[in-house]
Amino acid sequence: MKHLKYILIVVLTATFFTSCKNETKQPEVKTVEVAASENKKELDPNATYAKAEFTIDGMTCQIGCAATIQKKISKMDGVKSAKVDFDKKLAMVEYDEAKVNPEKLTNTVTSVADIYKVSNMKTVDAFSSEKKCGDDCKKTCCSKTEGEKMACKPDCKMACCEKKA
């Protein structure tokens, strides 16, 4: 019985030392070849580009909604540039008139999700990057002049007029 105890202790000790290895196995590095795809769009230098602005209702966040819509519009064939401003709910798109039309832009936005609604689609000469005073503006910084539709007074300190100066 005494020899059986010693044999059992030796077997357990040997098992303990061989099973608890502190060696870490290095991960195997594999090289995978991937064909690089050229996603750069070729812009036609002879194309006629138009600029469109439209309102997108239904956006709830900057990253999930506005960025997704902007990416989807930018990937359209014939779109030169696209910017979606979440705060103003405004999309500004420059596109090739031969390949894209306002209806295609509307369909692209609504295909992202059913909650997005396009309104106030208009073709413009230049994008409105700043919020302008509306026709019914009652702020003291906005006054009507004969030569312009809306203008700010020279001494106006309001945010809507400081950007214009």
Side-chain angles (χ1 to χ4, degrees):
M1 182 87 164
K2 192 176 184 182
H3 293 300
L4 189 57
K5 272 187 181 178
Y6 286 124
I7 293 173
L8 188 57
I9 290 172
V10 169
V11 170
L12 287 176
T13 306
T15 306
F16 176 74
F17 283 115
T18 57
S19 67
C20 294
K21 294 181 181 179
N22 287 334
E23 296 176 20
T24 56
K25 194 173 187 179
Q26 293 293 329
E28 187 178 332
V29 177
K30 292 184 179 182
T31 304
V32 178
E33 292 184 30
V34 178
S37 62
E38 294 284 330
N39 286 338
K40 294 181 181 178
K41 289 196 271 184
E42 300 268 338
L43 295 176
D44 185 7
N46 299 325
T48 304
Y49 289 98
K51 295 179 181 180
E53 285 186 343
F54 51 92
T55 305
I56 302 174
D57 294 315
M59 293 189 295
T60 57
C61 61
Q62 175 67 35
I63 297 171
C65 299
T68 303
I69 294 169
Q70 180 174 320
K71 184 186 286 186
K72 188 85 168 182
I73 293 172
S74 295
K75 287 184 178 181
M76 290 177 65
D77 187 35
V79 172
K80 184 176 181 180
S81 67
K83 183 176 188 301
V84 177
D85 188 342
F86 172 72
D87 296 327
K88 296 178 185 177
K89 298 182 181 183
L90 184 69
M92 297 168 275
V93 182
E94 188 171 4
Y95 60 92
D96 181 355
E97 290 180 322
K99 296 180 179 180
V100 180
N101 58 32
E103 185 178 317
K104 284 184 181 180
L105 291 171
T106 302
N107 291 339
T108 301
V109 172
T110 55
S111 71
V112 174
D114 292 335
I115 60 170
Y116 304 134
K117 305 293 180 212
V118 174
S119 60
N120 300 328
M121 176 75 74
K122 59 186 172 189
T123 304
V124 294
D125 293 328
F127 293 128
S128 60
S129 59
E130 297 159 2
K131 193 170 186 177
K132 297 179 182 174
C133 297
D135 291 336
D136 58 344
C137 183
K138 303 288 186 210
K139 293 182 181 178
T140 57
C141 68
C142 297
S143 66
K144 293 190 184 233
T145 62
E146 291 179 21
E148 299 177 5
K149 187 175 171 184
M150 283 298 224
C152 294
K153 292 182 181 178
D155 60 341
C156 181
K157 302 290 183 207
M158 300 286 285
C160 66
C161 293
E162 283 184 346
K163 292 180 182 177
K164 294 180 185 177

